[in-house]
Amino acid sequence: MHYFCYNVAVMQWSRSKYGLAVAALVTAGVAAVCAAAAPAPLTPVATVQVGAQSGMVLAAAGSIWSTDLALGRVVRIDPTTNTVTRKTAFASRPFGIAYGAGSLWVADRSINTLGRIDPRTGKVLRRIRIGSNTYGATFAAGSVWVTSELDGTVRRISPKKNKVTATIKAGITPNGVVYAFGSLWVADLGGSKLFKINVKTNKVVKRISLAKVDWITASTDSLWVSSETGRVFRVNPTTGAVTARVDVGANPLGSAWIAGELWVPNIDDGTISIVDPAKNEVRSTLSAGKSPLSIASAAGDVWISVSEAGEIWRVRPIQ
C-alpha cells in the first residue's frame, strides 16, 4: 500500500444523501500524519459524462449501465464508442441496479419503486412497489432481490408476476446483496451482520457478526465484505469464518473482482485499493477522483463510477 503525508482533522461521521457514510470536519484541531508517497493517479483511457451524480455501475446486455442520482435517469453506455447512447427518466434517485430475465431492474432510493426496463429500447415496462430506501439489487435464482434500509428487509420479486413474492427480515439496515455459492448473502450495516439466505425456502440460515458491513463481492473461494470501518473482511462461505482482514481506504463500497484481484473504491478518500488475494493485502492504492462509488468489468477493461463528478471512467486492468 502507498502512504502519504497529510493533515488529519477531527471528523464526525454521518450518513450522506444517498445513504453512504461521509466525513465532516467538526474541529480545527489537526494531527500531522506522514508517510512515504501519495497514491499514484489512475489515468482513464476514456471518461464518460453520465450526468450530475453517477450511481452504481453494471455491465449487462452488451452495454455499461449507471444512473444519475441527481437527475433521476438510467444511463446506457456503448463500450465500443465510450459514449452515452440512451438516458431513460426514472423516479428520483435510482441506485440499485441488476440484470436478468432479459430486463434491466433499477430500484429507487427515495420512493418504493422498482423499474423493469427494456435494455434495447430503454422503455420502462413495469413499475413495481417495493420498500423505501432501497439500497442493493441483484438477480438470482429466477428472481430480483432488493434490500430496504427502511424496514430492514430483502424483497424477492418475480419477473413472471412483476410483484413481490417474499419479504425476508435481514437485520436493521441491509445494504449490499449478492448470490454466490448457492445462497443469497446480505450485508446489514446497522446490525453489523452478514446474512446467509436459502433461496429455496426464503429463510435466513446463518448470521455472521462483521462490523458495519455494506457491500459483498464473491471470488472463486471467498466472500469479500466491505466495511465502513475502512477494511474488507474475507469470509469462508462454507464455515462463515473470517480468514483475513484487509485495511483499505475510507468507506469502501462497490468492489469488483478484476483479473484475479479485488478492486475496492474508497468513497471518502477518492482512492481505489487493489487487493492481492494471495497475500491478503493491498498491493496498490490509486487516486480516482471525487467519490469513486462502484466498479464493474467489461470489454477487457475496468469501469468506475466517480460519483460526485457524474462520470464513468474506463481504465486498463493492469495498474
Side-chain angles (χ1 to χ4, degrees):
M1 183 185 296
H2 298 285
Y3 297 95
F4 58 101
C5 294
Y6 59 101
N7 287 331
V8 178
V10 178
M11 293 185 289
Q12 174 177 310
W13 293 92
S14 63
R15 300 289 283 178
S16 79
K17 51 186 173 293
Y18 39 82
L20 311 175
V22 294
L25 300 179
V26 295
T27 79
V30 295
V33 179
C34 292
L42 184 61
T43 304
V45 295
T47 300
V48 185
Q49 190 73 41
V50 300
Q53 194 175 49
S54 56
M56 307 306 288
V57 61
L58 173 73
S63 298
I64 309 301
W65 303 86
S66 188
T67 61
D68 186 333
L69 301 174
L71 300 178
R73 299 184 299 200
V74 179
V75 181
R76 176 184 177 182
I77 299 169
D78 183 347
T80 63
T81 62
N82 298 318
T83 58
V84 172
T85 56
R86 187 178 300 277
K87 295 180 180 179
T88 300
F90 178 72
S92 59
R93 292 192 63 75
F95 189 69
I97 188 167
Y99 178 81
S103 298
L104 193 72
W105 304 84
V106 182
D108 190 85
R109 277 195 59 72
S110 298
I111 57 177
N112 63 343
T113 299
L114 174 70
R116 182 175 191 169
I117 298 174
D118 185 327
R120 294 177 297 106
T121 66
K123 181 181 179 181
V124 179
L125 303 175
R126 294 285 190 279
R127 294 178 185 269
I128 302 166
R129 293 179 62 83
I130 54 173
S132 295
N133 280 29
T134 299
Y135 196 96
T138 193
F139 191 96
S143 300
V144 187
W145 305 79
V146 295
T147 59
S148 171
E149 291 185 316
L150 184 67
D151 59 7
T153 64
V154 56
R155 285 173 170 80
R156 182 174 193 166
I157 297 95
S158 166
K160 293 181 179 179
K161 298 179 180 180
N162 287 308
K163 69 176 185 179
V164 175
T165 56
T167 300
I168 306 162
K169 185 63 178 174
I172 300 172
T173 50
N175 281 194
V177 56
V178 71
Y179 180 81
F181 307 104
S183 298
L184 193 77
W185 303 84
V186 178
D188 176 22
L189 174 70
S192 293
K193 293 284 192 303
L194 177 66
F195 287 81
K196 180 180 181 180
I197 296 173
N198 185 319
V199 296
K200 294 181 179 179
T201 63
N202 296 323
K203 301 291 185 183
V204 174
V205 295
K206 186 185 290 286
R207 296 170 176 84
I208 303 166
S209 294
L210 296 173
K212 296 184 177 180
V213 289
D214 60 6
W215 191 260
I216 314 163
T217 297
S219 64
T220 57
D221 63 354
S222 301
L223 297 167
W224 301 81
V225 190
S226 297
S227 165
E228 285 190 2
T229 62
R231 61 177 38 172
V232 174
F233 298 103
R234 185 174 187 172
V235 177
N236 182 311
T238 302
T239 65
V242 175
T243 58
R245 294 170 174 83
V246 184
D247 290 331
V248 287
N251 194 12
L253 192 64
S255 59
W257 196 249
I258 309 287
E261 295 181 310
L262 187 72
W263 285 52
V264 184
N266 304 304
I267 305 163
D268 292 341
D269 62 17
T271 63
I272 303 290
S273 299
I274 302 178
V275 177
D276 179 353
K279 297 181 178 180
N280 289 319
E281 65 181 31
V282 174
R283 71 158 178 83
S284 184
T285 301
L286 305 170
S287 177
K290 296 181 179 180
S291 301
L293 170 64
S294 173
I295 298 177
S297 176
D301 285 327
V302 183
W303 301 78
I304 303 170
S305 171
V306 184
S307 185
E308 291 303 313
E311 297 172 343
I312 302 296
W313 287 10
R314 181 175 189 168
V315 304
R316 298 300 184 217
I318 303 301
Q319 297 289 333

